[in-house]
Amino acid sequence: MKKDILVLGIETSCDETSVAVVKNGREILSNVILSQIDIHKQFGGVVPEIASRNHLDVISQVIDKALEDINLSLDDIDVIATTYGPGLVGALLVGMSYGKSLSYALNKPLVGVNHIEGHICANYLEHKELEPPFIALVVSGGHTHLILVSDYGKYKILGRTRDDAVGEAYDKVARAIGLSYPGGPKIDNLSNLGDKYAIKFPKPMLEPDSLDFSFSGLKSFVLNFINNCKMKEIDFKNEDIAAGFQNVVVDILSTKAIKACELFNINKLVLAGGVASNSGLRLKMKEECEKKSLELYFPNKILCTDNAAMIASSGYYNFIMGKRDSLNLNASPNLKLEV
Ligand code: KG4
Ligand code: ZN
């Protein structure tokens, strides 16, 4: 009988310290996530140096908890998988160095994982039947990518943001209307109370055949709109800004994602990353995919945001494809997905 492979995943690329144990790339045994959001909130965003220091303070305890939760010890682990990019360099170094030390001390194989690949693999944990090929839309605070996943480990970037990531645009618009970091979920909630047509938003689609995105103009539009209203003493509702912004963002994302499926003749669409939690995005994608007979997949909310289970899943697939990293593995803040 084939032996099960247990992967210990470590994720510290931004402001979540997370460690998980995953069986055969698909089954979560434990997934401990310690968020630093309350610490960074007071600064209006993630402060890289503070993030690194906090990862350092808690990483050992998070590893212990991930193993204690399932009554396992480090000896039971087969592979150590650790995010090595993209992300904040100091933050990445903490988890990656810890992973390298464990690999050395325990004499277990080390696999460095690309964080974006991890977000995509979160779907393998949630949907046991999901197999490539599919189109993935990865939308988070740092990334907005449309990706053709032709097989495990085979990625082609079809489109990406030319300026702000979607989550970043959400957070900036939220800040403009006085909502604290991270503003994405707050705009999402507020948008349900507003009229999405009350304010006429621009809809930046770029060139007709482009699968790239641009969101920075929307943030500028909101700032100009607010300043203009204030100068002319015109009343406006934050709810309407949230609803109008969400409506146009969701429209752009769904139009381009569906176009990618059609262009490459793929019938599965996968959402990933923090913004994949967005209620408007999920609803619009469901409607559009139904119309076009496409299968839609997205992870539950916990697996949308940064977590180590997705890193362990990605580590598993890389491991069985033969990837091994040496102790020379370094943090790569701008790591690309395509090779
Ligand atoms: O994937 P993630 O946890 O971290 C990165 O890798 O960036 O994504 C965090 C981002 C933040 O910008 C947050 O505002 C956004 O995801 N986000 C949302 C929602 N939930 C989280 N944006 C819109 N609607 C949501 N419901
Ligand atoms: Zn992420």
Side-chain angles (χ1 to χ4, degrees):
M1 210 177 72
K2 217 177 110 214
K3 184 192 170 300
D4 288 330
I5 296 179
L6 296 192
V7 180
L8 180 92
I10 305 176
E11 157 63 37
T12 63
S13 69
C14 191
D15 60 343
E16 266 92 22
T17 318
S18 181
V19 176
V21 179
V22 167
K23 187 161 106 183
N24 300 331
R26 295 272 178 168
E27 193 185 329
I28 300 177
L29 303 186
S30 67
N31 189 21
V32 179
I33 307 169
L34 204 64
S35 172
Q36 302 176 9
I37 279 185
D38 287 339
I39 300 167
H40 296 283
K41 220 176 214 165
Q42 54 189 306
F43 304 105
V46 178
V47 183
E49 162 122 14
I50 295 178
S52 320
R53 287 174 186 273
N54 277 288
H55 287 310
L56 210 47
D57 282 347
V58 299
I59 183 87
S60 302
Q61 296 154 43
V62 176
I63 292 196
D64 289 349
K65 171 116 179 58
L67 292 165
E68 277 163 25
D69 279 358
I70 47 173
N71 279 325
L72 290 185
S73 79
L74 283 167
D75 288 335
D76 301 309
I77 300 297
D78 300 298
V79 180
I80 311 287
T82 175
T83 311
Y84 74 110
L88 304 171
V89 67
L92 284 165
L93 278 168
V94 175
M96 200 203 58
S97 304
Y98 214 101
K100 289 205 297 191
S101 321
L102 287 178
S103 159
Y104 178 68
L106 303 164
N107 197 21
K108 311 252 177 190
L110 174 76
V111 178
V113 169
N114 181 310
H115 181 82
I116 301 173
E117 182 175 30
H119 273 301
I120 296 171
C121 291
N123 281 279
Y124 296 143
L125 298 164
E126 180 94 24
H127 308 286
K128 311 283 182 233
E129 74 291 3
L130 175 65
E131 304 269 356
F134 53 79
I135 297 286
L137 175 69
V138 182
V139 275
S140 73
H143 317 283
T144 308
H145 284 351
L146 252 178
I147 302 165
L148 170 63
V149 184
S150 50
D151 202 346
Y152 290 102
K154 287 220 168 74
Y155 304 99
K156 182 176 166 51
I157 309 275
L158 307 175
R160 52 158 57 88
T161 181
R162 294 188 188 167
D163 39 60
D164 290 352
V166 194
E168 192 181 353
Y170 261 96
D171 295 337
K172 285 177 176 171
V173 167
R175 190 202 281 229
I177 57 174
L179 301 173
S180 64
Y181 175 84
K186 291 166 192 137
I187 296 249
D188 191 5
N189 289 335
L190 204 60
S191 71
N192 293 320
L193 309 173
D195 172 1
K196 60 185 177 191
Y197 300 118
I199 303 162
K200 195 169 163 24
F201 270 77
K203 189 172 146 191
M205 293 298 283
L206 303 173
E207 305 80 26
D209 58 343
S210 175
L211 292 175
D212 279 351
F213 303 92
S214 169
F215 296 107
S216 67
L218 287 175
K219 170 202 64 190
S220 310
F221 171 82
V222 170
L223 292 175
N224 289 338
F225 173 83
I226 294 174
N227 285 339
N228 211 13
C229 288
K230 283 186 178 159
M231 251 163 33
K232 295 181 182 157
E233 296 181 350
I234 301 170
D235 282 341
F236 65 90
K237 287 195 191 134
N238 285 342
E239 289 82 347
D240 292 342
I241 294 181
F245 172 75
Q246 175 140 316
N247 178 52
V248 77
V249 166
V250 159
D251 205 359
I252 295 167
L253 291 173
S254 61
T255 305
K256 299 217 177 205
I258 301 234
K259 190 169 160 194
C261 290
E262 289 176 341
L263 277 174
F264 290 86
N265 205 15
I266 302 271
N267 71 343
K268 285 181 233 169
L269 177 60
V270 165
L271 309 182
V275 185
S277 294
N278 186 273
S279 63
L281 181 65
R282 289 178 170 202
L283 189 67
K284 175 87 174 168
M285 288 289 194
K286 270 187 198 155
E287 289 168 1
E288 295 304 313
C289 285
E290 235 171 72
K291 278 188 215 156
K292 305 271 178 183
S293 300
L294 301 173
E295 291 169 27
L296 177 68
Y297 299 85
F298 48 77
N300 69 54
K301 289 193 178 190
I302 291 173
L303 293 178
C304 283
T305 46
D306 291 349
N307 68 88
M310 69 186 199
I311 301 304
S313 172
S314 171
Y316 169 83
Y317 285 104
N318 279 289
F319 176 75
I320 58 170
M321 286 184 295
K323 184 174 192 276
R324 305 286 185 276
D325 281 293
S326 74
L327 296 179
N328 291 330
L329 181 72
N330 204 349
S332 182
N334 300 313
L335 184 66
K336 300 284 175 278
L337 188 58
E338 279 169 321
V339 276

Coordinates of all heavy atoms in Angstrom, one line a residue, residues 185-255:
P185 N -13.4 43.4 3.5 CA -14.6 42.8 4.0 C -15.6 43.9 4.4 O -16.8 43.7 4.3 CB -14.1 42.0 5.2 CG -12.7 41.9 5.1 CD -12.2 43.0 4.2
K186 N -15.1 45.1 4.9 CA -16.0 46.1 5.3 C -16.8 46.7 4.1 O -18.0 47.0 4.2 CB -15.3 47.2 6.1 CG -14.8 46.6 7.4 CD -13.8 47.4 8.1 CE -13.2 46.6 9.3 NZ -11.7 46.7 9.4
I187 N -16.1 47.0 3.0 CA -16.7 47.5 1.8 C -17.7 46.5 1.3 O -18.8 46.8 0.9 CB -15.7 47.7 0.7 CG1 -14.7 48.8 1.1 CG2 -16.4 48.0 -0.6 CD1 -14.8 50.1 0.4
D188 N -17.3 45.2 1.4 CA -18.2 44.1 1.0 C -19.6 44.2 1.7 O -20.6 44.2 1.1 CB -17.5 42.8 1.2 CG -18.2 41.6 0.6 OD1 -19.2 41.8 -0.2 OD2 -17.8 40.5 0.8
N189 N -19.5 44.3 3.1 CA -20.7 44.4 3.9 C -21.5 45.7 3.6 O -22.7 45.6 3.4 CB -20.4 44.4 5.4 CG -19.9 43.1 5.8 OD1 -20.2 42.1 5.2 ND2 -19.1 43.0 6.9
L190 N -20.8 46.8 3.5 CA -21.4 48.1 3.3 C -22.1 48.2 1.9 O -23.2 48.8 1.8 CB -20.4 49.2 3.3 CG -20.8 50.6 3.7 CD1 -21.4 50.6 5.1 CD2 -19.6 51.6 3.7
S191 N -21.5 47.5 0.9 CA -22.1 47.5 -0.4 C -23.5 47.0 -0.5 O -24.3 47.4 -1.3 CB -21.2 46.8 -1.4 OG -21.3 45.4 -1.2
N192 N -23.9 46.1 0.5 CA -25.2 45.5 0.5 C -26.3 46.6 0.9 O -27.5 46.4 0.7 CB -25.3 44.4 1.5 CG -24.5 43.2 1.0 OD1 -24.5 42.9 -0.2 ND2 -23.8 42.6 1.9
L193 N -25.8 47.7 1.5 CA -26.7 48.7 2.0 C -26.9 49.9 1.0 O -27.6 50.8 1.2 CB -26.3 49.3 3.3 CG -26.0 48.2 4.4 CD1 -25.3 48.9 5.6 CD2 -27.2 47.5 4.8
G194 N -26.1 49.9 -0.1 CA -26.1 51.0 -1.0 C -26.7 50.7 -2.3 O -27.1 49.6 -2.6
D195 N -26.8 51.8 -3.2 CA -27.3 51.7 -4.5 C -26.1 51.7 -5.5 O -25.4 52.7 -5.6 CB -28.2 52.9 -4.8 CG -28.7 53.0 -6.2 OD1 -28.3 52.1 -7.0 OD2 -29.4 54.0 -6.5
K196 N -25.9 50.6 -6.2 CA -24.7 50.5 -7.0 C -24.8 51.4 -8.2 O -23.7 51.6 -8.9 CB -24.5 49.0 -7.4 CG -25.6 48.4 -8.2 CD -25.3 46.9 -8.5 CE -26.4 46.2 -9.2 NZ -26.3 44.8 -9.2
Y197 N -25.9 51.9 -8.6 CA -26.0 52.8 -9.7 C -26.1 54.3 -9.3 O -26.2 55.2 -10.2 CB -27.2 52.5 -10.6 CG -27.2 51.0 -11.1 CD1 -28.1 50.1 -10.7 CD2 -26.1 50.6 -11.9 CE1 -28.1 48.8 -11.2 CE2 -26.0 49.3 -12.4 CZ -27.0 48.4 -12.0 OH -26.9 47.1 -12.5
A198 N -26.1 54.6 -8.0 CA -26.2 56.0 -7.6 C -25.1 56.9 -8.1 O -25.3 58.1 -8.4 CB -26.3 56.1 -6.0
I199 N -23.9 56.3 -8.1 CA -22.7 57.1 -8.6 C -22.2 56.4 -9.9 O -22.1 55.1 -9.9 CB -21.6 57.0 -7.6 CG1 -22.1 57.6 -6.2 CG2 -20.4 57.8 -8.0 CD1 -21.2 57.3 -5.0
K200 N -21.9 57.2 -10.9 CA -21.5 56.5 -12.2 C -20.0 56.3 -12.2 O -19.2 57.3 -12.3 CB -21.9 57.4 -13.4 CG -21.8 56.6 -14.7 CD -22.5 57.3 -15.8 CE -22.1 56.7 -17.2 NZ -21.6 55.3 -17.2
F201 N -19.6 55.1 -11.9 CA -18.2 54.7 -11.9 C -17.6 54.5 -13.3 O -18.3 53.9 -14.1 CB -18.0 53.4 -11.0 CG -17.8 53.7 -9.6 CD1 -18.8 54.0 -8.7 CD2 -16.5 53.6 -9.0 CE1 -18.6 54.2 -7.4 CE2 -16.3 53.8 -7.7 CZ -17.4 54.1 -6.9
P202 N -16.3 54.8 -13.5 CA -15.7 54.4 -14.7 C -15.5 52.9 -14.7 O -15.4 52.3 -13.6 CB -14.4 55.1 -14.7 CG -14.1 55.4 -13.3 CD -15.4 55.5 -12.6
K203 N -15.3 52.2 -15.9 CA -15.1 50.8 -15.9 C -13.8 50.5 -16.7 O -13.9 50.3 -17.9 CB -16.3 50.1 -16.5 CG -16.3 48.6 -16.3 CD -17.6 48.0 -16.8 CE -17.4 46.7 -17.4 NZ -18.6 46.2 -18.1
P204 N -12.7 50.6 -16.1 CA -11.4 50.4 -16.9 C -11.2 49.0 -17.3 O -10.9 48.1 -16.5 CB -10.3 50.8 -15.9 CG -10.9 50.6 -14.5 CD -12.4 50.8 -14.7
M205 N -11.4 48.7 -18.6 CA -11.2 47.4 -19.2 C -9.9 47.2 -20.0 O -9.6 46.1 -20.4 CB -12.4 47.1 -20.1 CG -13.8 46.9 -19.4 SD -13.8 45.6 -18.2 CE -14.0 44.2 -19.3
L206 N -9.2 48.3 -20.2 CA -7.9 48.3 -21.0 C -8.2 47.9 -22.4 O -9.4 48.0 -22.9 CB -6.9 47.4 -20.4 CG -6.5 47.7 -18.9 CD1 -5.6 46.7 -18.3 CD2 -5.9 49.1 -18.8
E207 N -7.2 47.5 -23.2 CA -7.4 47.2 -24.6 C -8.4 46.1 -24.8 O -8.5 45.2 -23.9 CB -6.1 46.8 -25.3 CG -5.0 47.8 -25.1 CD -4.3 47.7 -23.7 OE1 -4.3 46.6 -23.1 OE2 -3.7 48.7 -23.3
P208 N -9.2 46.0 -25.9 CA -10.3 45.1 -26.0 C -9.8 43.6 -25.9 O -10.6 42.8 -25.3 CB -10.8 45.3 -27.4 CG -10.4 46.7 -27.8 CD -9.2 47.0 -27.0
D209 N -8.6 43.3 -26.3 CA -8.2 41.8 -26.2 C -7.3 41.6 -25.0 O -6.8 40.5 -24.8 CB -7.5 41.4 -27.5 CG -6.2 42.3 -27.7 OD1 -6.2 43.4 -27.1 OD2 -5.3 41.9 -28.5
S210 N -7.2 42.5 -24.1 CA -6.3 42.4 -23.0 C -7.0 41.7 -21.8 O -8.1 42.0 -21.4 CB -5.8 43.7 -22.5 OG -5.0 43.6 -21.4
L211 N -6.2 40.8 -21.1 CA -6.7 40.1 -19.9 C -6.0 40.7 -18.7 O -6.1 40.2 -17.6 CB -6.5 38.6 -20.0 CG -7.3 37.9 -21.0 CD1 -6.9 36.4 -21.1 CD2 -8.8 38.0 -20.7
D212 N -5.3 41.9 -18.9 CA -4.7 42.6 -17.8 C -5.8 43.4 -17.1 O -6.9 43.6 -17.6 CB -3.7 43.6 -18.3 CG -2.3 42.8 -18.5 OD1 -2.2 41.7 -18.2 OD2 -1.4 43.5 -19.1
F213 N -5.4 43.9 -15.9 CA -6.4 44.7 -15.1 C -5.7 46.0 -14.7 O -4.5 46.1 -14.7 CB -6.7 44.0 -13.8 CG -7.3 42.6 -14.0 CD1 -6.5 41.5 -14.0 CD2 -8.7 42.5 -14.1 CE1 -7.0 40.2 -14.2 CE2 -9.2 41.2 -14.3 CZ -8.4 40.1 -14.3
S214 N -6.5 47.0 -14.4 CA -6.0 48.3 -13.8 C -7.1 48.8 -12.8 O -8.2 49.0 -13.2 CB -5.8 49.3 -14.9 OG -5.6 50.6 -14.3
F215 N -6.6 49.0 -11.6 CA -7.6 49.4 -10.5 C -7.3 50.7 -9.9 O -8.1 51.2 -9.1 CB -7.7 48.3 -9.4 CG -8.3 47.0 -9.9 CD1 -7.5 45.9 -10.1 CD2 -9.6 47.0 -10.3 CE1 -8.0 44.7 -10.6 CE2 -10.2 45.8 -10.8 CZ -9.4 44.7 -10.9
S216 N -6.1 51.3 -10.2 CA -5.7 52.5 -9.4 C -6.6 53.7 -9.8 O -6.8 54.6 -9.0 CB -4.2 52.8 -9.7 OG -4.0 53.2 -11.0
G217 N -7.1 53.7 -11.1 CA -8.0 54.8 -11.5 C -9.3 54.8 -10.7 O -9.8 55.9 -10.4
L218 N -9.7 53.6 -10.2 CA -11.0 53.6 -9.5 C -10.8 54.3 -8.1 O -11.7 55.0 -7.6 CB -11.4 52.1 -9.3 CG -12.0 51.5 -10.5 CD1 -12.3 50.0 -10.2 CD2 -13.3 52.2 -11.0
K219 N -9.6 54.0 -7.5 CA -9.3 54.6 -6.2 C -9.2 56.1 -6.4 O -9.8 56.9 -5.6 CB -8.0 54.1 -5.7 CG -7.4 54.8 -4.5 CD -5.9 54.5 -4.4 CE -5.2 55.1 -5.6 NZ -3.8 54.8 -5.7
S220 N -8.6 56.6 -7.5 CA -8.5 58.1 -7.7 C -9.9 58.6 -8.0 O -10.2 59.7 -7.5 CB -7.6 58.4 -8.9 OG -6.4 57.7 -8.8
F221 N -10.7 57.9 -8.7 CA -12.1 58.3 -9.0 C -12.8 58.6 -7.6 O -13.5 59.6 -7.5 CB -12.8 57.3 -9.8 CG -14.3 57.6 -10.0 CD1 -14.7 58.6 -10.9 CD2 -15.2 57.0 -9.1 CE1 -16.1 58.9 -11.0 CE2 -16.6 57.4 -9.2 CZ -17.0 58.3 -10.1
V222 N -12.7 57.6 -6.7 CA -13.4 57.8 -5.4 C -12.9 59.0 -4.7 O -13.6 59.8 -4.1 CB -13.2 56.5 -4.6 CG1 -13.7 56.7 -3.2 CG2 -14.0 55.3 -5.2
L223 N -11.5 59.2 -4.6 CA -11.0 60.3 -3.9 C -11.4 61.6 -4.5 O -11.8 62.5 -3.8 CB -9.4 60.2 -3.9 CG -8.8 59.1 -3.1 CD1 -7.3 59.0 -3.3 CD2 -9.2 59.2 -1.6
N224 N -11.4 61.7 -5.9 CA -11.9 62.9 -6.5 C -13.4 63.2 -6.3 O -13.8 64.3 -6.1 CB -11.6 62.9 -8.1 CG -10.2 62.9 -8.4 OD1 -9.4 63.5 -7.5 ND2 -9.8 62.4 -9.5
F225 N -14.1 62.1 -6.3 CA -15.6 62.2 -6.1 C -15.9 62.8 -4.7 O -16.6 63.7 -4.6 CB -16.2 60.8 -6.3 CG -17.7 60.8 -5.9 CD1 -18.6 61.2 -6.9 CD2 -18.1 60.4 -4.7 CE1 -20.0 61.2 -6.5 CE2 -19.5 60.4 -4.3 CZ -20.4 60.8 -5.3
I226 N -15.2 62.3 -3.7 CA -15.4 62.7 -2.3 C -15.0 64.2 -2.2 O -15.7 65.0 -1.7 CB -14.6 61.8 -1.3 CG1 -15.2 60.4 -1.4 CG2 -14.7 62.4 0.1 CD1 -14.4 59.4 -0.5
N227 N -13.8 64.5 -2.8 CA -13.3 65.9 -2.7 C -14.3 66.9 -3.3 O -14.6 67.9 -2.8 CB -11.9 66.1 -3.3 CG -10.9 65.5 -2.4 OD1 -11.1 65.3 -1.2 ND2 -9.8 65.1 -3.0
N228 N -14.8 66.5 -4.5 CA -15.7 67.3 -5.3 C -17.0 67.5 -4.5 O -17.5 68.7 -4.4 CB -16.0 66.5 -6.6 CG -16.3 67.5 -7.7 OD1 -16.0 68.7 -7.6 ND2 -16.8 67.0 -8.8
C229 N -17.5 66.5 -3.9 CA -18.8 66.6 -3.2 C -18.6 67.5 -2.0 O -19.4 68.3 -1.7 CB -19.2 65.2 -2.7 SG -19.9 64.2 -4.0
K230 N -17.4 67.3 -1.3 CA -17.2 68.1 -0.1 C -17.1 69.6 -0.5 O -17.6 70.5 0.2 CB -15.9 67.7 0.6 CG -16.1 66.4 1.4 CD -14.9 66.0 2.2 CE -15.3 64.7 3.0 NZ -14.1 64.0 3.4
M231 N -16.3 69.9 -1.6 CA -16.2 71.3 -2.0 C -17.5 72.0 -2.4 O -17.8 73.1 -2.1 CB -15.3 71.3 -3.3 CG -13.9 71.9 -3.0 SD -12.7 71.5 -4.2 CE -13.5 71.5 -5.7
K232 N -18.3 71.2 -3.1 CA -19.6 71.7 -3.5 C -20.7 71.5 -2.5 O -21.9 71.8 -2.8 CB -20.0 71.1 -4.9 CG -19.0 71.4 -6.0 CD -19.5 70.8 -7.3 CE -18.5 71.1 -8.4 NZ -18.5 70.2 -9.5
E233 N -20.4 71.0 -1.4 CA -21.3 70.7 -0.3 C -22.5 69.8 -0.8 O -23.7 70.1 -0.5 CB -21.8 72.0 0.3 CG -20.7 72.7 1.0 CD -21.1 74.0 1.7 OE1 -22.2 74.5 1.5 OE2 -20.2 74.6 2.4
I234 N -22.1 68.8 -1.5 CA -23.2 67.8 -2.0 C -23.1 66.6 -1.1 O -22.0 66.1 -0.8 CB -22.8 67.4 -3.5 CG1 -22.8 68.6 -4.4 CG2 -23.8 66.3 -3.9 CD1 -22.3 68.2 -5.8
D235 N -24.3 66.1 -0.7 CA -24.3 65.0 0.2 C -24.1 63.7 -0.6 O -24.5 63.6 -1.7 CB -25.7 64.8 0.8 CG -25.9 65.8 2.0 OD1 -24.8 66.2 2.5 OD2 -27.0 66.0 2.4
F236 N -23.4 62.8 0.0 CA -23.2 61.4 -0.7 C -23.2 60.4 0.4 O -23.0 60.7 1.6 CB -21.9 61.4 -1.5 CG -20.7 61.5 -0.6 CD1 -20.1 60.3 -0.1 CD2 -20.1 62.7 -0.3 CE1 -18.9 60.4 0.7 CE2 -19.0 62.8 0.4 CZ -18.4 61.7 0.9
K237 N -23.5 59.1 0.0 CA -23.5 58.1 1.0 C -22.3 57.1 0.8 O -22.1 56.7 -0.3 CB -24.8 57.2 0.8 CG -26.0 57.9 1.3 CD -27.2 56.9 1.4 CE -28.5 57.5 1.6 NZ -29.5 56.9 0.8
N238 N -21.6 56.8 1.9 CA -20.5 55.8 1.8 C -21.0 54.5 1.2 O -20.3 53.8 0.5 CB -19.9 55.6 3.1 CG -19.0 56.8 3.5 OD1 -18.6 57.6 2.6 ND2 -18.7 56.9 4.8
E239 N -22.3 54.2 1.6 CA -22.8 52.9 1.1 C -22.9 52.8 -0.4 O -22.7 51.8 -1.0 CB -24.3 52.7 1.7 CG -24.4 52.5 3.1 CD -24.3 53.7 4.0 OE1 -23.9 54.8 3.5 OE2 -24.6 53.6 5.2
D240 N -23.2 54.0 -1.0 CA -23.3 54.1 -2.5 C -21.9 53.9 -3.1 O -21.8 53.3 -4.2 CB -24.0 55.4 -3.0 CG -25.5 55.4 -2.6 OD1 -26.0 54.3 -2.3 OD2 -26.1 56.5 -2.5
I241 N -20.9 54.5 -2.5 CA -19.5 54.4 -3.0 C -19.2 52.9 -2.9 O -18.6 52.4 -3.9 CB -18.6 55.3 -2.2 CG1 -18.9 56.7 -2.4 CG2 -17.1 54.9 -2.5 CD1 -17.9 57.7 -1.6
A242 N -19.4 52.3 -1.8 CA -19.0 50.9 -1.6 C -19.8 50.0 -2.7 O -19.1 49.2 -3.3 CB -19.4 50.4 -0.2
A243 N -21.1 50.2 -2.9 CA -21.8 49.4 -3.8 C -21.4 49.6 -5.2 O -21.2 48.7 -6.0 CB -23.3 49.7 -3.6
G244 N -21.2 50.9 -5.6 CA -20.7 51.2 -7.0 C -19.4 50.7 -7.3 O -19.1 50.1 -8.3
F245 N -18.4 50.8 -6.3 CA -17.1 50.3 -6.5 C -17.1 48.8 -6.6 O -16.5 48.2 -7.5 CB -16.2 50.7 -5.2 CG -14.9 50.1 -5.2 CD1 -13.8 50.6 -6.1 CD2 -14.6 49.1 -4.3 CE1 -12.6 50.0 -6.0 CE2 -13.3 48.5 -4.3 CZ -12.3 49.0 -5.2
Q246 N -17.8 48.1 -5.7 CA -17.8 46.7 -5.7 C -18.4 46.2 -7.0 O -18.0 45.2 -7.6 CB -18.6 46.1 -4.5 CG -18.8 44.6 -4.6 CD -18.6 44.0 -3.2 OE1 -17.7 44.3 -2.5 NE2 -19.5 43.0 -2.9
N247 N -19.5 46.8 -7.5 CA -20.2 46.4 -8.7 C -19.2 46.5 -9.9 O -19.2 45.5 -10.7 CB -21.4 47.4 -8.9 CG -22.1 47.0 -10.2 OD1 -22.5 45.8 -10.4 ND2 -22.3 48.0 -11.1
V248 N -18.5 47.5 -10.0 CA -17.6 47.7 -11.2 C -16.4 46.7 -11.1 O -16.0 46.1 -12.1 CB -17.2 49.2 -11.4 CG1 -16.1 49.6 -10.5 CG2 -16.8 49.4 -12.8
V249 N -15.9 46.5 -9.9 CA -14.7 45.6 -9.8 C -15.1 44.2 -10.1 O -14.4 43.5 -10.8 CB -14.2 45.7 -8.3 CG1 -13.2 44.6 -8.0 CG2 -13.5 47.0 -8.1
V250 N -16.3 43.8 -9.6 CA -16.8 42.4 -9.8 C -17.1 42.2 -11.2 O -16.8 41.1 -11.8 CB -18.0 42.2 -8.8 CG1 -18.9 41.1 -9.3 CG2 -17.5 42.0 -7.4
D251 N -17.6 43.2 -11.9 CA -17.9 43.1 -13.3 C -16.7 42.9 -14.1 O -16.6 42.1 -15.0 CB -18.6 44.5 -13.7 CG -19.5 44.3 -14.9 OD1 -19.6 43.2 -15.4 OD2 -20.1 45.3 -15.3
I252 N -15.6 43.7 -13.8 CA -14.4 43.6 -14.6 C -13.8 42.2 -14.4 O -13.4 41.5 -15.3 CB -13.4 44.7 -14.1 CG1 -13.9 46.1 -14.5 CG2 -12.0 44.4 -14.7 CD1 -13.1 47.2 -13.8
L253 N -13.7 41.8 -13.1 CA -13.1 40.5 -12.8 C -13.8 39.3 -13.5 O -13.2 38.4 -14.1 CB -13.0 40.2 -11.3 CG -12.1 41.1 -10.5 CD1 -12.3 40.9 -9.0 CD2 -10.6 40.9 -10.8
S254 N -15.1 39.4 -13.4 CA -15.9 38.2 -14.0 C -15.8 38.2 -15.5 O -15.6 37.2 -16.1 CB -17.3 38.2 -13.5 OG -18.0 39.4 -13.8
T255 N -15.9 39.4 -16.1 CA -15.8 39.5 -17.6 C -14.5 38.9 -18.1 O -14.5 38.1 -19.0 CB -16.0 41.0 -18.0 OG1 -17.2 41.5 -17.5 CG2 -16.0 41.1 -19.6

